[in-house]
Amino acid sequence: RIAGLGGAPEEEVVRVPRDVVARIQRSLQTPPPGAGPGGSCLLLSWNIDGLDEHGPRDTMLRALAVAEHIALTQPVAVLLQEVIPPQLELLSAPQTLGGHYDIVCAESPRLPYYCAMLLHKRRAKMLGRPRTRHFASSKMGRHILAVDVVV
């Protein structure tokens, strides 16, 4: 569980550094690069390696590094692979990216890691429901997550 983002029991807490959260919030207050009519449309794809086994603190720090980069670049959409629930909890928290990005997750993931998307709330409008296609022959729970958006 992640401290500072919700009520986790104290013995299970990994503390989120306040200075990192402050940097993320400052970056999100700056207009995104290329914003405005005729501006650029940045798409970011990232395998955030949720399967790494260096412990919860390392997982949290890597997720915060991802959040910091997203806040700096403010892409319209972020395509994430190997997301695990604690990372998604951190990325979707209002103190990090949750106030600026909608989170789209795979439907019924078959393993504890999955694909997810972050869509900028002001710059991308989702049309319809997201779709998940699981690959039947995959032993690693591979799937495709798709959604139609208007930018």
Side-chain angles (χ1 to χ4, degrees):
R1 301 286 263 142
I2 301 166
L5 301 179
E10 193 63 35
E11 65 275 3
E12 299 175 17
V13 165
V14 175
R15 299 232 173 256
V16 175
R18 289 183 185 179
D19 61 317
V20 177
V21 172
R23 285 195 307 267
I24 291 168
Q25 286 300 309
R26 271 194 307 276
S27 294
L28 288 169
Q29 299 310 314
T30 305
S40 63
C41 176
L42 181 62
L43 175 70
L44 178 64
S45 179
W46 202 322
N47 182 325
I48 60 174
D49 195 18
L51 303 178
D52 190 2
E53 297 187 12
H54 290 293
R57 179 162 174 75
D58 183 62
T59 298
M60 180 264 304
L61 291 173
R62 282 184 293 109
L64 282 173
V66 170
E68 224 176 327
H69 184 76
I70 291 168
L72 281 169
T73 58
Q74 295 187 46
V76 171
V78 183
L79 313 175
L80 299 172
Q81 304 93 46
E82 290 188 16
V83 179
I84 59 173
Q87 291 170 322
L88 195 61
E89 177 186 359
L90 179 64
L91 294 173
S92 64
Q95 299 91 328
T96 57
L97 301 174
H100 290 80
Y101 284 87
D102 287 320
I103 310 298
V104 180
C105 291
E107 184 179 311
S108 303
R110 296 182 178 162
L111 290 173
Y113 58 93
Y114 41 85
C115 295
M117 290 184 206
L118 281 64
L119 300 174
H120 198 284
K121 289 184 178 189
R122 288 181 308 198
R123 299 169 62 207
K125 179 179 176 4
M126 190 166 44
L127 303 174
R129 297 178 42 92
R131 299 170 307 281
T132 304
R133 179 173 163 238
H134 295 278
F135 294 107
S137 62
S138 174
K139 291 181 173 71
M140 296 290 292
R142 305 266 190 248
H143 58 272
I144 292 176
L145 177 61
V147 65
D148 297 317
V149 298
V150 173
V151 178

